[in-house]
Amino acid sequence: MDLSKESLLNLNWSDLSWFQHFNTVLSEETALAYFCQVGNPFYDRSSLNEQIYMNNLPAEAMINASGIEYALIHRQDPILFIIRKHYREGPNELRPLQEYYIVAPGHIYQAPDAASVISHRLLTAVHHFSKAFDEASQKAAYHPSSGYYWKTNSSSDDLAKKDSSKEKILTHTQRLRFETIFPNFHDHFRPRAPAGTTAQTTLPSTTTNNDTTATSNGGSGDNNLPRKEERTPSDSQSTTSERPMMEVKKQKTQK
């Protein structure tokens, strides 16, 4: 079985028939031998332990050798045994690589390293935080008349009643904030009076001689006041154009 791409942290291995075959139980004497089985995915067959078993050598032969070695470092009879995988570079030079748990009656787990534990805890915390924020954002709501509130069964009923009412009363905070942002709002946008109340009737700017005579004959005591005749640019142009014609007519009559 190729476990190069599979994480061994989620793997559990056991072979309880091994104890029945040798008629024994999990103990300090059998823990290391039980771990060093060929079918164990956590066991490296190129280790020094495999060389000792294959060549039937004593355990002291590994002291001066160099390579991967498995050793029992802790026991808590009869439920827990810890096997360490280290690299031996001499009699007193050991470099730890990995540790494994053997839990009664014979289940083997790989112990996680500090980086895996911290990353897993951080991912779990971030997941729960994001889930809590999503639920909180769905419960939060805002209404102009009441401000921010949390959605509950009672709050939704109250909000429905407020929406059904036609009168929306601003709070003191809303009024004060409006006057702070727009201090001169009423001065710039005063209401305008209707056009019919302030409109004044005006007479036409152009009047003829007949109109002036009609008003002088049928008017009241204001007829004696001097009146100024108003003319438009079109009237002045018409009078200037009529003068040359009258002069031409006078010359013809004189001839």
Side-chain angles (χ1 to χ4, degrees):
M1 182 171 56
D2 186 11
L3 298 176
S4 59
K5 297 182 180 179
E6 184 180 356
S7 178
L8 296 177
L9 293 174
N10 300 324
L11 186 63
N12 172 24
W13 182 84
S14 62
D15 185 11
L16 302 181
S17 61
W18 185 87
F19 297 102
Q20 297 177 359
H21 178 73
F22 292 99
N23 194 16
T24 183
V25 293
L26 184 63
S27 62
E28 182 180 1
E29 291 77 13
T30 60
L32 185 59
Y34 174 71
F35 182 86
C36 296
Q37 294 189 64
V38 178
N40 185 5
F42 303 108
Y43 178 64
D44 189 359
R45 298 186 63 181
S46 63
S47 62
L48 298 177
N49 302 76
E50 186 67 18
Q51 295 177 14
I52 290 175
Y53 293 147
M54 294 296 293
N55 299 324
N56 197 13
L57 299 175
E60 291 78 7
M62 294 188 299
I63 297 177
N64 296 323
S66 61
I68 296 176
E69 180 185 3
Y70 295 92
L72 178 66
I73 61 172
H74 179 77
R75 63 185 178 85
Q76 185 177 350
D77 295 328
I79 59 174
L80 178 63
F81 299 88
I82 299 178
I83 305 295
R84 173 181 289 175
K85 176 183 179 181
H86 53 250
Y87 188 85
R88 178 179 289 275
E89 297 177 354
N92 299 320
E93 295 182 5
L94 301 176
R95 181 161 49 91
L97 299 177
Q98 191 65 54
E99 293 182 357
Y100 304 93
Y101 300 144
I102 303 179
V103 182
H107 301 283
I108 301 176
Y109 302 90
Q110 178 177 326
D113 54 343
S116 301
V117 173
I118 294 174
S119 62
H120 178 72
R121 296 292 177 87
L122 289 176
L123 289 175
T124 304
V126 170
H127 170 71
H128 290 297
F129 271 117
S130 61
K131 188 176 180 181
F133 279 121
D134 292 339
E135 292 182 358
S137 61
Q138 295 176 1
K139 295 293 183 179
Y142 175 79
H143 194 271
S145 61
S146 59
Y148 289 97
Y149 66 95
W150 294 102
K151 288 182 181 179
T152 57
N153 295 329
S154 60
S155 62
S156 60
D157 297 339
D158 296 339
L159 184 60
K161 294 179 181 178
K162 291 181 180 180
D163 291 335
S164 61
S165 62
K166 296 182 179 180
E167 296 181 358
K168 302 295 182 182
I169 302 175
L170 296 177
T171 61
H172 176 70
T173 305
Q174 292 172 344
R175 291 195 187 95
L176 183 61
R177 183 171 178 78
F178 181 82
E179 293 177 357
T180 304
I181 299 175
F182 304 101
N184 300 326
F185 180 81
H186 295 289
D187 296 337
H188 291 289
F189 301 96
R190 290 184 178 276
R192 297 180 180 180
T197 56
T198 58
Q200 296 180 358
T201 57
T202 57
L203 296 174
S205 59
T206 58
T207 56
T208 59
N209 295 332
N210 295 329
D211 296 334
T212 55
T213 54
T215 52
S216 61
N217 294 329
S220 59
D222 296 335
N223 295 332
N224 296 328
L225 297 177
R227 294 181 179 271
K228 184 178 180 180
E229 184 178 1
E230 297 180 357
R231 293 183 179 181
T232 60
S234 60
D235 296 338
S236 62
Q237 292 178 2
S238 62
T239 53
T240 54
S241 62
E242 290 177 355
R243 287 178 183 177
M245 296 297 295
M246 293 177 65
E247 292 179 356
V248 172
K249 288 181 181 180
K250 288 181 179 180
Q251 292 178 0
K252 289 183 178 180
T253 53
Q254 290 177 2
K255 291 179 180 181

